[in-house]
Amino acid sequence: MVLNRVVEGAKRLVSPDRPTTSGDPLLDQLRGALTADRVHLDGVQRSLLSHDASVFEGGVAGPVCYPTSVDEVVAIMKIADEHGRAVVPRGAGTGLAGGAIPLGAPIVVAMTKMNRILDLDIDNRIVWVQPGVINLDLTRYLRPLGYHFAPDPSSQQVCTIGGNVANNSGGPHCLAYGVTNAHVVAIEAVVPSGDVLALGGLDAEPLGFDLRGIFVGSEGTLGIATKVAVTITKNPPSVRTLLLSFDSVRDAANTVSGVIAAGVVPAAMEVMDAKITAAVEHYVGAGYPLDAEAVLLAEVDGSEAGIDIDADRIADVGREHNATEVRFAKSEDERALLWKGRKTAFGAIAQIAPDYYLHDTVVPRSKLADVLEEVYAIAERHDLLVMNVFHAGDGNLHPLLIFDGREPGVLARVHAAGDEIISASLAAGGVLSGEHGIGVEKQKFMDDMFSHADLDHQNRLRRAFDPTCRANPGKVLPMGHSCADIQALRRVPSGVWG
Amino acid sequence: MAKIDADTKIDRALTEFAERLGADDPVAVVGGRTKWEVGGAPADGTRMVAAPTGIVSYLPSEMVAVVRAGTTITELQSALADAGQRSALPYWGNGSTVGGALAVGQNSLDVLGRGRLRASLLQVRYVSADGHIITGGGPTVKNVTGFDLPRLMVGSLGTLGSLAEVILRTNPIPDTMRWLRGQGIDPFAAFDALFRPSAVLWDGKTTWIKIEGHRVDVDAEQAALVRRVGPVEEVDGPPELPAHRWSLAPRELRHLDQPITDRPKTSNPTYPVGRYVASIGVGTVWASEPQPARSVSDAIRTVAARMKAEFDPTGRLNPGRDPYTTAGM
Amino acid sequence: MDLRLDPDDLNSCVQCGLCLPHCPTFRVTGEESKSPRGRIALMRAVQDEDAPITTEVVDAFATCVQCRGCEPACPSGVPYGHLMEQTRETLADAGVLTPKWQRLAFKPLASPTMLNVGSKALAIAQRARLVPKRLGISATVPLRQPSLDASGQDVHLFTGCIMDAWQRDIHLAVKRVVEAGGIGVMPTGDTAPCCGALHTHAGLTGESRRLADRMIDALDDGKPILVDSAGCGAAMKDYGHLLGTPEAEAFASRVYDIAEWLAGSDEDLPTAKPLDIRVAIQDPCHLRHVQRVHQATRTVLRPYVRELVELDDDGLCCGAGGAYSVLQPELAGQIRDRKLDVITATKPDVVVSANPGCSMYLSPELDRHGIETIHPMQLIDRALNGLG
């Protein structure tokens, strides 16, 4: 049949650096532990699983495994250990910091086939899921029961719970509900030794160190989650969504600080500037105003009785800060459309230029306006287009630098501008990342935020789980800390295209 | 009130604390001694050092407070209350300290309203076993920069590092807070009937419920509660709590009022036999006798032992105390 | 290898991955190589980096259902369908995709005589239980067809190839519904035998162009052309892109899905007592994702039934995909299983689908759940003619 044909150039499919043929014992062992059709060594799988949604290039995936059970993950870890190979876990590949790209030629463990919702436990207000379950699928499953999974990153329609755990994902509604760490009560994880750990627990205050807490957000460097108990959150009885327009980004940012100062913690507060609003409106047609310099999307939820008190307070604070329009979403459809616009903002950028670089830093809310002004100035200095869309309530900035990669020299300017944005955020008392993680993207900035001793302690934490640097090595910590150096030891294979 | 200094330097109070702790002999940081027995008493010969005190900065519109570990919870909460805010710290009476509460890691009685203590710690500064001042986390409400040392410190009983200064997330105090009490009503139905109760406590007969929010919200929730589960009356506060703290899964609380013979047989006597007050939807139970030892897997013990060895290779930090025992709870 | 893809189209993908859950093959496999993002990356690798075309590369392209569910999900507006069609055309031209024996199978579609003979043979074979199940032909082919005659000259009703041979009763129902609004219908019959959609999917675009030319010549009277098969309608609305001529653009603008046309028509259909049934709407991909007129089905159908229910799967494909269920039976079956779960969860009496391919693929399975599968116009016909 057609699928078995291999035509022109087939001989040029270079052989990978390490396990080369089906005769390699590593490959045979993996295929024996899983099944042959779930362990791949072909160029297609290896090249595709060498990338995520980021721009970063690392090494090339070694064998690609698709486990379907905890036992298979244990087997992979033990085989990797025996052969001295690193293991890189992976979800839907929507990460923006390069956390899931392979360095060297590690075994890539794609968790997408472990995608079952296992056990809904309403009494304990949790649901056990496999890590490959898609975030929005879980909420969709819970919806008829009156619950949802609170973390709602913009990629929620595709990102997996395992990925959320690895990155401690946030999202607009984390302002009131908290990030992923607040919604994970227990994790079954396989550590590099092959041991299966039960981290955390369903009881009120699990005994001992909060190993659950440190596993969340560890970007796959402590092991692989095979089962996660996440809390389910009651759907609010009522929701009010407001859209406020402003003549300046500063007014919008100051409104955000003002709302918090007024004692209101909305479920979400998101700001988009004029350029990104235009791009989004073109895609979704949600009715965003095109004449405003900035729009603030705010949402409050709670019981019907008092919900308008908070909504009106937000509206009042907005007017005090020169809001040119305050609009309440009149229907669930209008609300859904406004959120769809916000959540697809990043992808809509391709309508403007073929490439973008999305940053992610956090600054104190009161510094939002100042830092934003600096971001615009930095972009102008480097002759780049910048758009801002951000989780304003958390002070979480997401400047997007827009460019056309085919323009000579533009990448150097993009990186220079990015570095300055990060420096400006740190100088304002902020942090490197609010929700994308460090991955390979921000390792070099870790020294700007932490001392050598601080990073040494982070490395100790990591070593307690992974003393031999097998789990996603080369990520998070900068060069000079043990597992960060591992990629230097391993030759990056050349020739596998992709 | 001091502003948050964007370029926070490690201040003298912390370096002096580090000097007092030294890098050699067995030491323990002593707070208000309100939970001194949790995890076992410190070993004999351990030198006691008090943590630095004082609120370093607090800006209500940022919803964060920078506070030294030796500060009493009373002092912090009253400073926050002046600005209409509160924290997730439990209230243990005079003398208990911020650092002590974090080291023990127990949640407040109304954890459903205030949030879990472990989630409220944004940044931690601690003195390491070898005398360095280490910073983990960051000052913003959202942060995924690097490994999560703050989470590791909460509940570690000072065995991995000595808490010096922390940044806590704060939250507005709701307009109205109301405790209700109902005799013989179903506490689980009460918990289900409410959108966001701050606490639902139950002693097997009586249920106490805390509702917070705008006055109209609280009134509406109370009305819904009466409609769905039965009559309640307004009271001043929660009941007196028995001395010992148990940690169960919320589902297990359903067996508390069953005859002992009907309860699921798991390890040891898993359920209290005497007087108890249980936190519905949370799983914490205050009982007249202590919770029996809880089992810990070998795999977890291995990682925990490695963690201890990484952070305190000579075992000088708070010797004698073990986060993996239920002793003293 | 130059796939002849427009570099700007190819570069418009930013790898965000939002398409992944909307891709039926990614949904059932969890594999990047079975996702739109992965396939676009492979197109780039082949075209820009001269990556070799291995079995796995061909497999990645061949397993695409071409449902185009990824397109509405894509905030960057990547024209994935056109990229995949061009890729398949180039690979078919190079002899990589759609080998000779498969091409033979597409021949009769354009020839009513061959199709009739073939269908009769198939119908007889089916009755003699001679058709192996693995061929994936799940519908029972009728032995005899009632006649389909013109009733006026207001609109064309495109009758197509397989559908006319196998499911003429749908055309008859459509015709009666349109006539109920006082409109005279001209069935296209043999004058425009096939839209070429299946050829385009297989990369046999040359043949599609010939068929499109033939149809544009045959139906040159400027009258609206109504289509009751979503796949055909989508292909005919794309003739402007396929042929790149102003005539083709003009022709394409006259093409309407039947529900789209009824919903937009000034003439109201007669009222009737609603059928006492709960109806689940299965949107054919080429109605929802390509033509994007699936709301019209609801508008037109709503007055005639007690209850309409939506499927909670964002319009994910059912696996039929034209010839897909025959060429990729295993993946198609897994995709269909998902769809069946979603349908049965809504507990309908009847499922409506405006694409005969979807109906034929779903109905044998749904029959076993006691759920009838039917074209939406057949339901309206039933209500109007008191057959509920």
Side-chain angles (χ1 to χ4, degrees), chain C residues 326-387:
Chain C
V326 178
L327 297 172
Q328 301 283 343
E330 195 179 327
L331 275 175
Q334 291 171 32
I335 296 167
R336 176 167 64 182
D337 288 345
R338 262 190 83 94
K339 177 63 79 180
L340 294 171
D341 287 347
V342 174
I343 290 175
T344 50
T346 64
K347 300 188 175 23
D349 303 308
V350 174
V351 173
V352 291
S353 176
N355 194 50
C358 306
S359 300
M360 282 194 283
Y361 192 50
L362 291 171
S363 63
E365 300 298 319
L366 287 170
D367 281 351
R368 292 197 279 120
H369 293 275
I371 300 170
E372 186 186 7
T373 315
I374 192 170
H375 195 282
M377 293 303 135
Q378 289 178 298
L379 270 193
I380 298 177
D381 181 40
R382 229 181 245 183
L384 288 176
N385 294 302
L387 302 169

Side-chain angles (χ1 to χ4, degrees), chain A residues 298-444:
Chain A
E299 186 159 285
V300 288
D301 62 18
S303 49
E304 181 63 28
I307 192 158
D308 286 324
I309 297 174
D310 285 342
D312 291 344
R313 264 189 211 171
I314 293 172
D316 288 346
V317 174
R319 289 189 193 99
E320 282 165 28
H321 289 90
N322 314 312
T324 52
E325 191 197 350
V326 177
R327 195 200 309 171
F328 288 78
K330 282 180 276 305
S331 65
E332 181 53 35
D333 284 350
E334 187 179 354
R335 172 181 177 256
L337 214 50
L338 288 172
W339 278 113
K340 184 177 180 193
R342 167 60 190 85
K343 290 194 174 182
T344 49
F346 303 131
I349 292 313
Q351 298 174 349
I352 294 150
D355 299 293
Y356 69 84
Y357 194 110
L358 174 60
H359 281 274
D360 164 47
T361 65
V362 191
V363 299
R365 255 184 304 268
S366 55
K367 301 286 176 62
L368 268 176
D370 291 344
V371 175
L372 279 168
E373 258 165 34
E374 220 173 318
V375 166
Y376 286 112
I378 289 167
E380 202 174 319
R381 275 206 299 281
H382 291 278
D383 194 22
L384 292 165
L385 180 62
V386 69
M387 301 188 182
N388 276 293
V389 46
F390 50 99
H391 306 309
D394 298 317
N396 192 180
L397 293 176
H398 284 314
L400 282 141
L401 296 169
I402 317 285
F403 61 100
D404 183 340
R406 291 168 290 189
E407 187 189 319
V410 71
L411 264 174
R413 288 183 357 244
V414 167
H415 285 296
D419 291 1
E420 287 177 36
I421 288 171
I422 289 170
S423 301
S425 302
L426 289 183
V431 300
L432 290 177
S433 175
E435 52 190 14
H436 295 173
I438 301 301
V440 297
E441 182 193 19
K442 287 177 173 162
Q443 287 170 301
K444 62 173 175 165

Side-chain angles (χ1 to χ4, degrees), chain A residues 84-124:
Chain A
R85 295 292 291 259
V87 171
V88 176
R90 176 189 174 91
T94 56
L96 291 165
I101 65 168
L103 302 173
I107 299 171
V108 169
V109 184
M111 301 303 287
T112 41
K113 287 185 197 276
M114 289 181 70
N115 61 353
R116 280 183 303 128
I117 294 170
L118 298 170
D119 180 24
L120 175 67
D121 182 349
I122 296 266
D123 263 356
N124 282 327

Side-chain angles (χ1 to χ4, degrees), chain B residues 4 41 56-57 60 80 118 160 210 276:
Chain B
I4 288 182
V56 179
S57 73
L80 300 184
R118 68 189 189 201
L160 301 177
K210 188 182 190 190
Y276 64 86

Side-chain angles (χ1 to χ4, degrees), chain C residues 4 14 29 35-36 57 89 112 126 129 151 173 179 209 224 241 259 292 294-295 310 330 335 345 359 361 369 378:
Chain C
R4 308 200 297 264
V14 296
T29 64
S35 78
V57 173
E89 182 184 351
Q126 277 184 333
R129 300 187 193 282
S151 60
E179 286 162 359
R209 291 197 184 95
H241 171 82
R292 305 192 189 184
H294 56 294
Q295 291 301 338
E310 298 287 343
E330 195 179 327
I335 296 167
S359 300
Y361 192 50
H369 293 275
Q378 289 178 298

Side-chain angles (χ1 to χ4, degrees), chain A residues 48-52 88-93 100 108-112, chain C residues 32 37:
Chain A
L48 293 181
L49 273 66
S50 298
H51 296 96
D52 54 17
V88 176
R90 176 189 174 91
V108 169
V109 184
M111 301 303 287
T112 41
Chain C
E32 187 78 16
R37 178 175 67 175

